[in-house]
Structure formats: structure tokens, C-alpha cells
């Protein structure tokens, strides 16, 4: 639910100039600035005018506290350094009291790309990111309803905020309809969430770091 | 290639049931080593002779281990130095957020106890999917066991967590378990997380619950947690003794020695 409200926010995060910069290098022809005829396939300029609701990639993820499986869409900006994704995940009843829907919004920043020379491979060895998840499930007992006085359970049972480090490897698999290289990328995220972090921070030495870690991994395909 | 080793790692991890792979912190899934611990601990208990021998039973009583992992380590060290302890009872709030990983973290510490330990469910253990997690890791919310002539009735009394629905605690079940003790039962002990004096106990059930305890033929006392502090007294006019435990946070616990029908000795231990 909450992640739906994130969509306009994501749109705001992706101003047209940033997207233009991302693609601008591939626009040598200044005449392209003229409006293309309606029946012609959109030139790279068309991308500049690409509406916010047209995502740049689709992704599928497993685990990472975001569902047994999750699928979503996302945007890439800052020359591939920043990705912003929304996902809808699912955990079957077998692993819970009732089935859980996990809705995630996250931002991943991958500042460096390895220089691999002339190759179809792209490696961004380090990513850092943050996520927010909202869990929808009929079985869950609320922590913030009227049963106890306000603040008795100070955390939300349904909303988790977390962070992660990770990395990604991509391979060019042809080009998209604008002639840009299209990649398929595999990524991983080693993360934790607010409640685990609270448990570790209040037990320095008593709760080893690896106890609070979670691992997620997935695949992203450029559109 | 990097991506191949990454993929291989991920696949290996999945096959090995990697602990890092988490679908949701609210999942109840957990490895076999962390399942049915009540049953496993009871089997271990029944297989061990009573360390004190004779009519006497000596056990450690504590509560509210929630999010005190460093303290849990020291608790284990301290209890392991005590002599003739048959088992440890933990009066609920094993976890803080009702997450399955928290129950595992507690078990990671308490499994180093030389003796078995048994728990009763607390209100914090019931938040979110905690009820499912507790039942997966420990077992039933209401259960009984008899050891060294002592019948323990472990009962979920977290009425507020169920919106005071009139069904928690299950007074009828408590009544049946206490009414006619088997011949080998010399004394009875009831343990729950929330005491009937607490405002978190279902007000509709206080009278019937307290009467049930008062009518029990050989009840030594009732044990509770929830308050994070020690207390002992007879708050109702039916002569039933209520003892409240320290939480792990207070770095103290109680050693109870029971004999005869209702005789007991109480020692406080700091750690």
C-alpha cells in the first residue's frame, strides 16, 4: 500500500535533466531537437520526454526481508549510480501465520564501476542502500493499536526500515528501442533492519554482527 | 567470474538452509535445531535423575529475557555454577519484538545451560507473528509437565494481547489440570507471564482464575514475570502465594527449593 504512494516521490527524484544527461551522449544529431514525426519510432530525444511512470528496468528478488520472492520496477539515474526501485513481495502461509505481502521501496547507490575495457560486462562492486518495507497480513497482531497505552510497543510491527551493502554485475544483451545498451544485472544485498540493529546496538559484544544480517539477491533487466 | 562465484554462493547458501536468507523478519520459518524446544527440553529433563534426589526439587526461576543478550550470557555462566539445579523456568517475554530470530538468539545463549530450560509465553512474544514463531520454536502456549513429584501448569495469561476476549487464560483448562492431581503429584506450581493482579490480565477472568488457584489441592505458589522486578506476597484472600521474577536486565534470579507439600526456600542470586 505504502509503496504506491512512493511512486510520485520517485518521479520527483528523477528530474528530466538528469535523465537527459544520462542519455545525452548518444544524441549527436542536433536536428533531433526537432519534434519527430508522430509515426516515427521515438529517437533518443523521446527518452528525454519519457513520462515518469515508464520505469527503466524490471527486477525480481529473493529474500533480503522483502519476501520469499518479490518483483518490481525501478529507475536508474546519476549515470547508473543510483537506482530507485519499488517491489511487491510474497511470503506463503507455510512460513507465517497467514500469507504476507511485503511492499518495498528502496534506493541503491553504486558509486564505482570497474574499468573492464572493451567488454560486455559491467561491474559495480560496491553498493549501499536503504529500504522501507510494509507488511500486509491478516495474521499479524498490531503493535500500535488501542490495546496498550501509546508507546508501550514503540515499534511498528508492519513497517521495517533497513540498510544494506551489496554489489552488481551486469552484461550487455543487445540494445533497447532507443539504441542504448540493454543490460541484465545480477545483484546481492547484505543487510539488516531497525529492530535487528536495535538488538545489536543494545548488546555490544553480546550479539554477533552475523546474527543480524540478511541476504537478498536478484536480477534486473533494462527495459 | 565474479557473478558465477556469487551465484554459486547463493545456491550453496539456499541448499544449506543459510541463516542469512530471510523472507521477512516476521516469518516463522526456522531450522530444525530451533523447533519444538519445549518437547526437546522435557525429554531431556525426564531422562535426567533429580539432582537433589529424594522429595526435594531445586530449580532456577527467572523471566523477561527480552533483548538482554549480554546478560543472558552471564546468566548462563552463573546458573551453571549453582549446584543441584534440575532445570530453569523463564516466565515469558523471551523475545522483545515477537520475531523468530530473537527466540533463536535467546536459545543460542540458553542452550549452554547445563540443565534444560522451559518457558511460558509472554505478551511481547505474541506481537506481530510472534504467536506462530513461539509455537514453532517452543511449542504449545498452554502445557504441563510433572517432574520430581511436582506438576507445573504453564499457562498463557496475556489477556490484553487478545483484546480481553474472555478466553485467555483458559480457566477451564487450568481447572482441569489442577483439580485431581495424579497420585505421584505431591505439589503443584502454576507459571504464567502476567499475574492476575496486573491490569494486563483479563479483568473478566481474575475472579475465576484466582478461585481456581485457591481450590487447587496442592498448589505451592504461582510464578509470574512481566514486572521486571522481584516480589512475593498473598494479594488475594485465599492464601495463594505469588512470586514475581526479576528480568535478565536486573542481573538477578531466584533459586527455588521446594519440598513437602508447600514448603519452599527462596534464594536470590546476583550475576
Amino acid at each position: 500500500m505504502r509503496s504506491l504512494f512512493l511512486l510520485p516521490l520517485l518521479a520527483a527524484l528523477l528530474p528530466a535533466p538528469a535523465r537527459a544527461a544520462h542519455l545525452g551522449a548518444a544524441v549527436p544529431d542536433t536536428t533531433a531537437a526537432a519534434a519527430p514525426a508522430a509515426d516515427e519510432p521515438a529517437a533518443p530525444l523521446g527518452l528525454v520526454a519519457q513520462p515518469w511512470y515508464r520505469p527503466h528496468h524490471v527486477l525480481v528478488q529473493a529474500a533480503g526481508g522483502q519476501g520469499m520472492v518479490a518483483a518490481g520496477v525501478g529507475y536508474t539515474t546519476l549515470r547508473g549510480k543510483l537506482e530507485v526501485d519499488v517491489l511487491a513481495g510474497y511470503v506463503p502461509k507455510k512460513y507465517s501465520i497467514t500469507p504476507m505481502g511485503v511492499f518495498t521501496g528502496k534506493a541503491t547507490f553504486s558509486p564505482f564501476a570497474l574499468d573492464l575495457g572493451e567488454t560486455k560486462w559491467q561491474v559495480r562492486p560496491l553498493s549501499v542502500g536503504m529500504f522501507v518495507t510494509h507488511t500486509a497480513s491478516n495474521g499479524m497482531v498490531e503493535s500500535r493499536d488501542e490495546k496498550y497505552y501509546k508507546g508501550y510497543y514503540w515499534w511498528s510491527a508492519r513497517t521495517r526500515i533497513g540498510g544494506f551493502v551489496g554489489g552488481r554485475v551486469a552484461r550487455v544483451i543487445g540494445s533497447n528501442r532507443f539504441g542504448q545498451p540493454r543490460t541484465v544485472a545480477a545483484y546481492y544485498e547484505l543487510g539488516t533492519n531497525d529492530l535487528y540493529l536495535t538488538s545489536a546496538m543494545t548488546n555490544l559484544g553480546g550479539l554477533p554482527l552475523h546474527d543480524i544480517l540478511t541476504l537478498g539477491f536478484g536480477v534486473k533487466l533494462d527495459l | 567470474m565474479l557473478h558465477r562465484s556469487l551465484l554459486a554462493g547463493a545456491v550453496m547458501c539456499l541448499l544449506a538452509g543459510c541463516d542469512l536468507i530471510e523472507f521477512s523478519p516476521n516469518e516463522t520459518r526456522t531450522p530444525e535445531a530451533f523447533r519444538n524446544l519445549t518437547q526437546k527440553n522435557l525429554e531431556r529433563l525426564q531422562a535426567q535423575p533429580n539432582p537433589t534426589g529424594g522429595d526435594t526439587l531445586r530449580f532456577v526461576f527467572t523471566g523477561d529475557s527480552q533483548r538482554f543478550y549480554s546478560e543472558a550470557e552471564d546468566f548462563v555462566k552463573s546458573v551453571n555454577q549453582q549446584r543441584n539445579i534440575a532445570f530453569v523456568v523463564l516466565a515469558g517475554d523471551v523475545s522483545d519484538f515477537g520475531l523468530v530470530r530473537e527466540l533463536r538468539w535467546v536459545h543460542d545463549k540458553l542452550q549452554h545451560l547445563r540443565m534444560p530450560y522451559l518457558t511460558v509465553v509472554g505478551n511481547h512474544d505474541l506481537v506481530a507473528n510472534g504467536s506462530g514463531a513461539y509455537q514453532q520454536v517452543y511449542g504449545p502456549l498452554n502445557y504441563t509437565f510433572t517432574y520430581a513429584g511436582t506438576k507445573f501448569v504453564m499457562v498463557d495469561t496475556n489477556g490484553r494481547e487478545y483484546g480481553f476476549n474472555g478466553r485467555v487464560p483458559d480457566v477451564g483448562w487450568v481447572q482441569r489440570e489442577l483439580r485431581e492431581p495424579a497420585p505421584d503429584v505431591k505439589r503443584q506450581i502454576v507459571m504464567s507471564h502476567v499475574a492476575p493482579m496486573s491490569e494486563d490480565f483479563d479483568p473478566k477472568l481474575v475472579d475465576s482464575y484466582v478461585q481456581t488457584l485457591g481450590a487447587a489441592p496442592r498448589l505451592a505458589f504461582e510464578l509470574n514475570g512481566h514486572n521486571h522486578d522481584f516480589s512475593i506476597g498473598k494479594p488475594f484472600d485465599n492464601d495463594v502465594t505469588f512470586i514475581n521474577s526479576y528480568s535478565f536486565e536486573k542481573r538477578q534470579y531466584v533459586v527455588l527449593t521446594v519440598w513437602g507439600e508447600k514448603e519452599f526456600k527462596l534464594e536470590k542470586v546476583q550475576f
Side-chain angles (χ1 to χ4, degrees):
Chain A
M1 300 303 120
R2 184 163 304 197
S3 51
L4 285 180
F5 300 122
L6 284 173
L7 278 174
L9 187 72
L10 299 182
L13 281 172
L14 300 166
R19 278 175 284 152
H22 175 48
L23 301 153
V27 191
D29 187 357
T30 50
T31 60
D39 54 348
E40 278 176 23
L45 186 64
L47 252 187
V48 176
Q50 184 169 317
W52 67 266
Y53 51 79
R54 180 171 287 168
H56 301 161
H57 54 254
V58 289
L59 66 160
V60 179
Q61 179 172 322
Q66 295 157 37
M68 187 169 86
V69 286
V73 296
Y75 301 84
T76 307
T77 188
L78 301 183
R79 294 179 184 273
K81 287 180 185 168
L82 180 66
E83 291 162 294
V84 183
D85 306 316
V86 288
L87 299 98
Y90 181 71
V91 181
K93 180 175 188 292
K94 188 182 169 193
Y95 304 125
S96 179
I97 291 177
T98 52
M100 293 189 285
V102 185
F103 300 91
T104 304
K106 67 176 163 190
T108 309
F109 184 58
S110 315
F112 320 108
L114 294 187
D115 184 4
L116 300 177
E118 289 290 308
T119 168
K120 288 179 179 299
W121 293 97
Q122 299 172 0
V123 177
R124 289 190 179 272
L126 173 73
S127 303
V128 291
M130 283 194 69
F131 65 84
V132 180
T133 64
H134 176 82
T135 301
S137 166
N138 291 329
M140 277 174 64
V141 174
E142 299 284 353
S143 56
R144 287 178 178 168
D145 55 12
E146 306 299 310
K147 291 202 296 284
Y148 290 86
Y149 61 83
K150 199 172 180 335
Y152 180 83
Y153 293 136
W154 54 264
W155 69 96
S156 160
R158 293 185 185 274
T159 305
R160 291 279 63 76
I161 299 170
F164 56 85
V165 295
R168 56 172 270 166
V169 176
R171 190 176 193 280
V172 177
I173 49 154
S175 54
N176 64 16
R177 61 202 160 100
F178 307 115
Q180 299 294 311
R182 165 180 282 163
T183 65
V184 58
Y187 67 92
Y188 78 95
E189 301 172 355
L190 200 58
T192 191
N193 66 51
D194 51 346
L195 297 186
Y196 291 171
L197 204 58
T198 302
S199 301
M201 296 303 283
T202 51
N203 288 278
L204 293 176
L207 198 60
L209 180 67
H210 62 80
D211 272 4
I212 67 162
L213 290 180
T214 64
L215 178 66
F217 43 90
V219 174
K220 281 184 188 183
L221 176 67
D222 284 346
L223 289 176
Chain B
M1 296 299 287
L2 179 61
H3 82 290
R4 291 230 175 98
S5 56
L6 205 73
L7 197 68
V11 170
M12 291 264 291
C13 205
L14 274 181
L15 291 176
C18 177
D19 290 351
L20 292 172
I21 301 289
E22 181 171 275
F23 303 158
S24 159
N26 292 116
E27 71 186 335
T28 56
R29 190 178 59 106
T30 199
E32 159 53 33
F34 296 92
R35 276 184 236 154
N36 295 318
L37 296 181
T38 298
Q39 193 196 327
K40 287 173 187 168
N41 278 319
L42 285 178
E43 281 165 10
R44 206 178 131 197
L45 178 63
Q46 299 302 346
Q48 99 187 0
N50 181 6
T52 48
D55 175 54
T56 307
L57 171 66
R58 204 168 138 79
F59 62 96
V60 164
F61 168 48
T62 186
D64 304 80
S65 56
Q66 53 190 122
R67 201 151 53 81
F68 305 122
Y69 303 102
S70 305
E71 290 84 350
E73 257 172 34
D74 299 337
F75 170 79
V76 168
K77 276 182 208 146
S78 172
V79 171
N80 280 347
Q81 287 166 6
Q82 297 288 335
R83 290 174 56 212
N84 296 334
I85 302 292
F87 54 86
V88 172
V89 286
L90 171 54
D93 279 1
V94 184
S95 72
D96 198 19
F97 309 119
L99 304 177
V100 74
R101 266 207 202 194
E102 295 184 277
L103 299 177
R104 290 175 53 175
W105 293 337
V106 170
H107 183 63
D108 275 339
K109 306 294 182 196
L110 298 190
Q111 68 178 338
H112 297 296
L113 286 166
R114 283 193 292 110
M115 61 295 284
Y117 77 98
L118 294 149
T119 62
V120 69
V121 71
N123 58 296
H124 278 256
D125 300 318
L126 294 168
V127 182
N129 280 335
S131 173
Y134 182 90
Q135 289 176 73
Q136 177 88 252
V137 173
Y138 287 103
L141 305 183
N142 294 334
Y143 67 99
T144 69
F145 65 95
T146 301
Y147 182 79
T150 314
K151 178 165 183 173
F152 280 78
V153 177
M154 316 289 266
V155 55
D156 177 2
T157 56
N158 305 294
R160 189 182 291 278
E161 208 55 56
Y162 300 89
F164 294 140
N165 65 4
R167 297 197 297 273
V168 177
D170 185 343
V171 179
W173 177 82
V174 177
Q175 219 163 31
R176 284 193 297 281
E177 292 298 333
L178 290 176
R179 197 186 291 149
E180 287 168 18
D184 63 324
V185 172
K186 300 191 192 78
R187 57 202 157 244
Q188 302 162 313
I189 293 172
V190 174
M191 182 161 103
S192 72
H193 181 62
V194 172
M197 301 81 85
S198 167
E199 56 183 20
D200 297 328
F201 195 101
D202 193 334
K204 296 190 286 291
L205 298 173
V206 171
D207 288 349
S208 58
Y209 183 75
V210 171
Q211 276 167 23
T212 298
L213 297 186
R218 285 164 221 164
L219 186 74
F221 40 69
E222 144 121 318
L223 302 176
N224 299 112
H226 197 48
N227 293 347
H228 289 217
D229 213 351
F230 176 81
S231 68
I232 181 165
K234 296 181 178 180
F236 301 98
D237 54 9
N238 63 357
D239 209 35
V240 175
T241 302
F242 288 82
I243 308 174
N244 210 292
S245 69
Y246 295 107
S247 66
F248 277 40
E249 177 191 26
K250 296 282 162 68
R251 291 187 169 274
Q252 279 189 76
Y253 60 88
V254 169
V255 177
L256 283 166
T257 311
V258 288
W259 69 94
E261 192 169 295
K262 297 186 178 187
E263 311 302 315
F264 69 90
K265 193 176 92 173
L266 188 152
E267 300 157 76
K268 299 175 186 177
V269 180
Q270 288 200 330
F271 64 90

